[in-house]
Amino acid sequence: DIQLTQSPSFLSASVGDRVTITCRASQGISSYLAWYQQKPGKAPKLLIFGASNLQSGVPSRFSGSGSGTEFSLTISSLQPEDLTTYYCQQLSSFPYTFGGGTKVEIK
Amino acid sequence: EAQLVESGGGLVQPGGSLRLSCAASGFTFSHYCMNWVRQAPGKGLEWISYISNTITITHYADSVKGRFTISRDNAKNSLYLQMNSLRAEDTAVYFCARRICYSDICFFDTWGQGTLVTVSS
């Protein structure tokens, strides 16, 4: 099975900061990686697919990059509504797996 | 607008069974592969099962293999998860999610609101 390791698990930042979350795969997954945002009590929301493609309707301050085993999600200017939890997911092979999550909190 | 609504969650004793349903609307259900994802209280997301649009292919996480069965009824626009031999560690919110693929780039674009399953005596 492919393991995904997200870092950091917790991130403290200020509004306006540039924030980067990393996701490392245990083996190469090409660009078969998605990023989701999840707010408390809600379903996950797709942000990025194919490692770098912005889902329709998602603000352009979100971007994704990487391929193979190293990926990142960047928020160029953190907004108050971005303070929540983010997950990466690999869809290269079954079982599909998620990273452990990164909680973004206010500094 | 595509929508998924789960139902069937509740309190069940260890060793018991439960059947979850996911009602789809706003899209042609039979065209899409579907998944179940769960989230234990205060924990991260765990993918647990997949079914192809034609029902011919299913996949399961090791944690539920042999105990859970995914199925669908395309005529009823519904996805199901039959859960048997339930354990305390199966306590979670269960989400159904639609998978979309562009060429071979796939992702989960539509999620239900989730239904809570609690396994406890």
Side-chain angles (χ1 to χ4, degrees):
Chain A
D1 297 1
I2 298 172
Q3 312 301 320
L4 295 180
T5 303
Q6 268 184 254
S7 60
S9 300
F10 294 92
L11 189 159
S12 293
S14 300
V15 172
D17 283 354
R18 181 181 181 88
V19 166
T20 297
I21 299 168
T22 298
C23 180
R24 177 175 294 138
S26 60
Q27 63 191 76
I29 59 170
S30 186
S31 297
Y32 302 130
L33 188 101
W35 289 97
Y36 302 88
Q37 176 192 69
Q38 187 182 31
K39 297 189 175 180
K42 300 295 186 181
K45 172 188 173 184
L46 176 70
L47 298 176
I48 301 285
F49 63 92
S52 60
N53 299 283
L54 191 69
Q55 171 69 343
S56 176
V58 173
S60 58
R61 63 180 180 273
F62 291 93
S63 64
S65 64
S67 67
T69 61
E70 297 282 338
F71 301 87
S72 63
L73 173 70
T74 298
I75 308 172
S76 60
S77 178
L78 193 69
Q79 298 302 301
E81 60 267 32
D82 303 335
L83 298 172
T84 188
T85 304
Y86 297 84
Y87 295 93
C88 56
Q89 180 199 23
Q90 68 82 17
L91 298 102
S92 174
S93 62
F94 289 100
Y96 290 160
T97 44
F98 289 89
T102 296
K103 187 172 184 179
V104 178
E105 301 174 320
I106 193 76
K107 185 181 288 184
Chain B
E1 179 190 0
Q3 189 173 8
L4 299 170
V5 178
E6 301 93 339
S7 60
L11 175 64
V12 60
Q13 291 188 337
S17 298
L18 209 57
R19 188 196 197 206
L20 305 183
S21 299
C22 171
S25 61
F27 65 99
T28 305
F29 181 69
S30 61
H31 289 183
Y32 294 90
C33 303
M34 298 296 295
N35 297 263
W36 286 99
V37 175
R38 69 183 181 183
Q39 186 170 36
K43 303 297 184 183
L45 300 170
E46 180 189 15
W47 171 87
I48 58 171
S49 190
Y50 160 95
I51 186 167
S52 64
N53 59 321
T54 56
I55 316 178
T56 54
I57 300 172
T58 59
H59 291 285
Y60 297 92
D62 285 346
S63 58
V64 305
K65 198 174 295 182
R67 300 187 299 123
F68 290 11
T69 302
I70 191 171
S71 63
R72 65 191 293 165
D73 185 335
N74 286 340
K76 294 184 178 180
N77 294 329
S78 293
L79 174 72
Y80 305 102
L81 186 67
Q82 177 66 44
M83 304 186 296
N84 299 330
S85 303
L86 283 161
R87 307 165 179 166
E89 54 264 37
D90 296 318
T91 294
V93 173
Y94 286 73
F95 298 98
C96 58
R98 183 178 80 168
R99 190 190 79 167
I100 277 190
C101 296
Y102 293 140
S103 295
D104 55 352
I105 300 292
C106 302
F107 48 91
F108 295 179
D109 76 316
T110 303
W111 297 67
Q113 84 288 351
T115 187
L116 176 63
V117 173
T118 303
V119 184
S120 175
S121 54

